[in-house]
Amino acid sequence: MAYASQMCGMLPKLGILAGGGELPRRLVAAANASGRDVFIIGFHGQTDAETVANTPHLMTRLGAAGEAFAALKAAGVKEIVMAGHIRRPSLLELRPDWRAARFFAKAGFAMLGDDGLLKAVRHEIEGEGFSLIGPQDVLQSLISPAGVLTTAKPDATAESDINRGVAILQTLAPLDIGQAVVVQQGLVLGIEAIEGTQQLIKRAGELRREGEGGVLVKLSKAQQDSKFDLPTIGPETVRQCAAAGLRGIAFEAGRSILLDQVATVTAADSAGLFLLGVELTQ
């Protein structure tokens, strides 16, 4: 496949390392609207087909780091953003090339947690001469506001569950386990680990108790780099929470991503769920 560098006006060409979900597509649309050229690196079994449709791209495997970096350079990319959900593959699935194998050898124990791994990835990207930026640098409206965004509001029980969820996540943050917890009437129904938020919500729905529903709490970690992997909420998150019998979602204001605030709030109002942006002191 041939790659051609393009002139892109005042803005440097953007490379998107695209996982699954809607976020990469929103970034493509935002970049296109600003007249910015985009090149996507998609990953087999991870990136949605519609994400790369009609946009210059390379589809590769996660372990083909050398091929990905070569394609980005050939396309004239200057800035890179990481966006979308990536399921952690096994080493057998990765089939790392020499470049990826060298990275794994250097990363060592950093591979055990998301934060350590992502910091190592950032070091590699910047070491190749690219600038790493966050999704919010491409589309500022992604950052979540503070306060209640919906018609429904948390009552005293929900506020207690939110406070418990916040305390749990802040306590676990140094261990680099996950970003989310579901609490119902003071009971912890689940803590996010490698399975991701969607499976956490599903599991919490299966474990829910009678009475007032639980709350999903999502926070970034104190040590987390804001350029990638910020907690993300969207209309699909709301639908999943409603199906699981939850009554609301609390997320950290200013350090979480709302994929589409209007659509997310509309979905929550339709389901009778509350959305709350919590302001925290780190």
Side-chain angles (χ1 to χ4, degrees):
M1 179 176 180
Y3 307 98
S5 185
Q6 303 174 38
M7 297 299 294
C8 58
M10 298 296 293
L11 293 172
K13 191 166 188 178
L14 180 66
I16 300 178
L17 305 186
E22 183 184 349
L23 181 55
R25 295 191 289 277
R26 289 187 60 80
L27 296 182
V28 170
N32 289 339
S34 68
R36 188 174 195 178
D37 289 334
V38 175
F39 185 84
I40 299 174
I41 298 293
F43 302 102
H44 297 303
Q46 306 273 2
T47 307
D48 301 329
E50 55 265 42
T51 296
V52 299
N54 305 314
T55 301
H57 66 275
L58 168 72
M59 288 297 297
T60 187
R61 68 181 193 280
L62 280 173
E67 182 181 34
F69 279 134
L72 290 164
K73 291 177 180 178
V77 166
K78 301 300 181 184
E79 293 184 340
I80 288 179
V81 62
M82 298 169 60
H85 176 70
I86 294 289
R87 174 187 58 80
R88 273 209 186 198
S90 66
L91 196 59
L92 183 62
E93 289 178 285
L94 273 175
R95 291 185 293 119
D97 62 10
W98 69 270
R99 184 67 180 77
R102 189 179 73 181
F103 163 73
F104 294 146
K106 286 195 299 182
F109 284 111
M111 295 287 293
L112 296 177
D114 288 342
D115 290 342
L117 173 59
L118 290 172
K119 286 176 183 176
V121 169
R122 176 176 184 172
H123 180 76
E124 289 298 305
I125 289 172
E126 293 177 341
E128 289 288 337
F130 302 104
S131 295
L132 185 68
I133 63 174
Q136 66 274 18
D137 297 321
V138 181
L139 185 58
Q140 292 184 350
S141 63
L142 289 171
I143 292 299
S144 57
V148 179
L149 308 182
T150 48
T151 302
K153 295 176 172 57
D155 59 16
T157 301
E159 288 179 353
S160 178
D161 285 344
I162 292 168
N163 290 336
R164 180 158 169 73
V166 168
I168 290 167
L169 291 175
Q170 288 181 328
T171 300
L172 291 176
L175 300 178
D176 194 10
I177 294 174
Q179 298 176 321
V181 62
V182 175
V183 182
Q184 180 188 14
Q185 301 168 35
L187 298 173
V188 178
L189 300 186
I191 297 173
E192 181 185 30
I194 198 169
E195 82 280 18
T197 305
Q198 182 175 344
Q199 291 302 313
L200 164 66
I201 296 170
K202 181 180 178 181
R203 186 171 76 249
E206 296 168 351
L207 297 172
R208 68 186 181 190
R209 303 302 198 255
E210 295 296 327
E212 296 173 319
V215 175
L216 172 69
V217 182
K218 292 199 75 170
L219 304 180
S220 61
K221 301 163 194 153
Q223 73 274 20
Q224 188 166 328
D225 192 324
S226 64
K227 294 192 181 298
F228 38 55
D229 199 33
L230 287 179
T232 301
I233 305 293
E236 185 58 30
T237 314
V238 171
R239 286 189 282 270
Q240 292 163 2
C241 286
L246 304 187
R247 60 195 309 213
I249 304 171
F251 45 84
E252 186 174 359
R255 282 175 60 84
S256 302
I257 288 176
L258 281 182
L259 286 178
D260 185 329
Q261 182 171 330
V262 173
T264 303
V265 171
T266 299
D269 280 338
S270 296
L273 273 67
F274 66 78
L275 298 176
L276 173 64
V278 180
E279 293 184 283
L280 301 175
T281 56
Q282 297 293 343

